[in-house]
Amino acid sequence: MTSRRVFGPPETSMEPSPRIGLALGGGFARGIAHIGVLRIFERNGIPIHCVTGVSAGSIVAAAYASGAHPDEIASAACSMRFGDVARWSLSRTGFVVSKRMTPFLQRLLKHHRFEEMPTPLGVVATDLCTGEPASFRDIGDVFLPIRASCSYPGLFQPVRSSGRVLVDGAMSIGIPALLARELGATHIISVHLPAPPCGRPPADVFQVIRRCFQIMQTRTEDGWRQASDLVITPDLRDIAWDGFECGPELVSAGEAAALAVLPKIESWFSGVPCQCSEGRDPGLSRPFPQVVRLT
């Protein structure tokens, strides 16, 4: 059985223990990779002060914040299919409705309201009219914010709430690192799931929309990267956006990427700068981008 280490400040230190905020990006089925990161953190006793997410990342974030174990989340995610969370329904604003996501979340989450979460949770959607992020935290039902955050424009119909029309959170912010900071985190770890390279021209309207979305997200990365102390980028190769059948492979990719940066995270708790090389997944050719601001 693997021993579980719990990190904290040295007994002789008067410095407060780092409060880690985990910010999870989108990726639909590729979001299963987030679970691998959580598995490694859980196995190594890395404490998570708060967790935030957009799109697929909001589902994993909510499940973990509610008290679900990473193994439980992995089991549900690897068996999930598109029809479990969505239903085709043609309308002027989209082709799919996400009401089926609510019973799926009811089964997965241990708690269903923000104020009940054992770990503080933040979810971000996008206000389609203003273009601004719509952040949900502290109080209220989690189901509608998650559905809104997962409402990929052009495919899913927008979600309406309190007079607002809400769509995918990644439209306004790729990874909600700043929201984790607002929830009290001193050190932000962002998990980035970049899209696979565009190997051929888009062949239909959905591929066109998806490619436009990818280009837009690439151009707006600077904001969340500057707010992050560490960025983890699992090597997902060419796994498709709807590759639910690749669940175990996605989890393994998340685990490998998290293991690669453990020395950096452990150095935050020891107070000793990490002397190892920059964290990198062996499957990647470039090191993970890191901006370290220890407080």
Side-chain angles (χ1 to χ4, degrees):
M1 181 176 177
T2 304
S3 61
R4 186 175 186 274
R5 295 173 289 171
V6 179
F7 292 96
E11 292 184 3
T12 57
S13 173
M14 299 300 293
E15 293 294 324
S17 180
R19 298 189 301 273
I20 292 179
L22 187 61
L24 308 179
F28 207 61
R30 292 158 61 90
I32 295 173
H34 292 313
I35 304 167
V37 174
L38 288 169
R39 266 187 172 174
I40 295 303
F41 286 2
E42 185 80 11
R43 191 177 301 160
N44 288 273
I46 303 297
I48 303 299
H49 169 75
C50 63
V51 60
T52 62
V54 297
S55 199
S58 70
I59 298 177
V60 177
Y64 184 76
S66 76
H69 190 276
D71 289 346
E72 295 179 82
I73 307 172
S75 177
C78 290
S79 63
M80 184 176 74
R81 295 295 180 265
F82 183 79
D84 295 330
V85 295
R87 177 176 60 84
W88 293 99
S89 179
L90 181 63
S91 81
R92 291 182 177 181
T93 58
F95 299 91
V96 175
V97 292
S98 61
K99 291 181 179 179
R100 286 183 181 177
M101 191 176 293
T102 297
F104 173 82
L105 293 170
Q106 287 174 330
R107 294 189 299 269
L108 177 61
L109 274 59
K110 306 294 185 183
H111 299 280
H112 301 159
R113 296 184 62 82
F114 284 97
E115 64 268 28
E116 297 171 350
M117 297 293 173
T119 300
L121 168 68
V123 172
V124 177
T126 299
D127 187 315
L128 191 57
C129 294
T130 67
E132 296 297 318
S135 299
F136 297 85
R137 49 173 288 192
D138 299 330
I139 190 169
D141 186 293
V142 302
F143 300 138
L144 186 142
I146 294 173
R147 285 181 52 217
S149 187
C150 293
S151 293
Y152 194 94
L155 178 61
F156 282 82
Q157 296 174 23
V159 172
R160 298 178 183 273
S161 173
S162 302
R164 294 187 294 183
V165 181
L166 303 174
V167 295
D168 197 314
M171 287 290 296
S172 55
I173 183 165
I175 298 178
L178 281 175
L179 181 56
R181 191 80 67 183
E182 293 173 5
L183 288 170
T186 58
H187 295 67
I188 310 299
I189 301 174
S190 293
V191 184
H192 180 39
L193 308 176
C198 183
R200 64 184 65 180
D204 58 48
V205 65
F206 296 118
Q207 292 181 8
V208 169
I209 293 172
R210 186 163 70 249
R211 185 57 188 153
C212 291
F213 203 179
Q214 293 164 358
I215 294 170
M216 179 197 68
Q217 287 182 298
T218 301
R219 298 293 187 272
T220 58
E221 283 185 10
D222 285 350
W224 64 259
R225 286 186 180 274
Q226 291 176 9
S228 304
D229 298 288
L230 176 64
V231 178
I232 298 177
T233 308
D235 180 12
L236 305 185
R237 297 181 176 84
D238 295 325
I239 297 176
W241 67 277
D242 58 349
F244 289 104
E245 70 282 357
C246 299
E249 183 181 347
L250 288 162
V251 173
S252 295
E255 290 178 339
L259 279 169
V261 298
L262 269 182
K264 170 62 69 176
I265 299 170
E266 292 171 359
S267 74
W268 295 343
F269 292 89
S270 68
V272 178
C274 179
Q275 300 300 318
C276 60
S277 60
E278 288 187 68
R280 72 175 71 213
D281 185 325
L284 297 178
S285 59
R286 294 185 298 173
F288 295 126
Q290 300 180 34
V291 181
V292 180
R293 295 185 297 276
L294 301 184
T295 58

